[in-house]
Amino acid sequence: MKMKQRGFTLLELLVVLLIIGMLAAFVGPKYFGQIAKSQTQVAGAQIESLSQALDQFRVDTGHYPSTTEGLAALYASPGSTSEPQWNGPYLKKAVPPDPWGNAYVYTIPSTVPGRDYDIISYGADGQPGGTGVNADVTN
């Protein structure tokens, strides 16, 4: 008695691959869109944390760090003679880069009326302006 061999035909394999490809084409953009959205939210949360540390720096010293001192003044003292009231560090770790690997931009005074300072992440492209994932995230 001869046993009949069983297996998949080439056509069946191609149909399965086509279905997997269609699912990937549908799900992929939604997945990567969520990643971009979460990076923007992370940047916003980091900026909020930096803002709180800047406010604590101001409470202790009576002013915000200069643009020259930058956000590094939140982690390391700018110098005992220039900041005798510094009571930091105000951050547990050094200032992290934004979610796209770029440094946050800190300027004082702010270019926006009603704010004392600006903390900006220029988004995925690292350039001012933009839309979507390239949009600026600011305090």
Side-chain angles (χ1 to χ4, degrees):
M1 217 182 234
K2 194 172 185 184
M3 296 277 296
K4 187 176 179 183
Q5 289 186 349
R6 294 185 174 215
F8 295 107
T9 66
L10 180 61
L11 182 61
E12 291 171 328
L13 289 174
L14 289 174
V15 168
V16 169
L17 287 175
L18 178 68
I19 292 170
I20 291 172
M22 289 173 59
L23 286 173
F26 179 73
V27 173
K30 291 185 181 290
Y31 174 73
F32 289 113
Q34 291 298 321
I35 289 174
K37 184 178 176 182
S38 67
Q39 287 175 319
T40 301
Q41 290 173 340
V42 166
Q46 286 179 333
I47 287 173
E48 180 64 28
S49 176
L50 293 171
S51 293
Q52 291 173 356
L54 283 167
D55 291 340
Q56 187 61 48
F57 181 98
R58 182 174 179 256
V59 167
D60 289 348
T61 64
H63 61 85
Y64 291 109
S66 68
T67 300
T68 307
E69 293 170 331
L71 297 172
L74 299 174
Y75 184 67
S77 174
S80 59
T81 57
S82 65
E83 292 297 342
Q85 301 296 336
W86 190 85
N87 196 24
Y90 301 97
L91 298 172
K92 292 181 181 179
K93 298 178 182 177
V95 178
D98 70 10
W100 300 279
N102 303 312
Y104 286 101
V105 177
Y106 169 73
T107 56
I108 189 166
S110 174
T111 58
V112 178
R115 287 200 309 221
D116 296 316
Y117 56 84
D118 292 325
I119 305 173
I120 305 167
S121 167
Y122 287 131
D125 64 354
Q127 301 296 319
T131 58
V133 295
N134 296 329
D136 298 349
V137 182
T138 186
N139 58 318

